[in-house]
């Protein structure tokens, strides 16, 4: 992560803890990851794997659905993802209905 990375962030980050399914680059399987913060334009996930900046990412986020983006930064156990299209992060906080 570069020194100026936090200054490039757009929008407010919503700290949370939820799980999502993620596909990194050309991987064929989805892996479960922990989402630690979320905003309209990006998110941070916990992931032990190192990923190159610019690697495409596909995620399934609860309450939001399928989203795509690219790795913006990667550091020990965490990856920042810049989303291709803005999302409404509040939808991820809505309770899951059992109906």
């Amino acid at each position: 992560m570069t020194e100026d990375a936090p200054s490039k962030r757009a929008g407010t980050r919503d700290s949370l803890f939820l799980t999502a399914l993620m596909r990194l680059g050309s991987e064929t399987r989805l892996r479960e990851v922990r989402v630690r913060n979320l905003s309209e334009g990006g998110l941070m996930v916990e992931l032990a794997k190192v990923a190159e900046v610019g690697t495409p990412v596909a995620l399934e986020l609860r309450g939001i659905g399928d989203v795509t983006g690219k790795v913006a930064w990667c550091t020990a156990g965490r990856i920042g993802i810049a989303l291709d299209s803005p999302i409404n992060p509040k939808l991820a906080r809505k309770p899951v209905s059992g109906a």
Side-chain angles (χ1 to χ4, degrees):
M1 184 157 118
T2 61
E3 295 272 333
D4 62 341
S7 64
K8 292 181 181 179
R9 289 183 183 160
T12 304
R13 298 266 179 212
D14 189 10
S15 291
L16 51 87
F17 178 82
L18 64 93
T19 57
L21 295 175
M22 182 177 93
R23 180 175 292 118
L24 185 62
S26 61
E27 292 178 342
T28 56
R29 71 176 183 89
L30 291 170
R31 66 175 72 226
E32 189 171 89
V33 294
R34 293 179 185 159
V35 178
R36 287 301 193 170
N37 65 43
L38 185 63
S39 72
E40 287 182 352
L43 56 108
M44 181 183 70
V45 300
E46 290 181 349
L47 185 66
K49 183 175 178 145
V50 174
E52 293 291 322
V53 170
T55 301
V57 178
L59 296 120
E60 292 178 17
L61 295 171
R62 183 190 81 193
I64 295 172
D66 295 337
V67 297
T68 59
K70 292 184 179 50
V71 173
W73 55 266
C74 181
T75 189
R78 295 181 179 168
I79 294 178
I81 299 168
L83 298 175
D84 292 334
S85 300
I87 60 166
N88 180 349
K90 292 179 183 174
L91 294 175
R93 288 207 177 264
K94 287 190 176 181
V96 177
S97 144

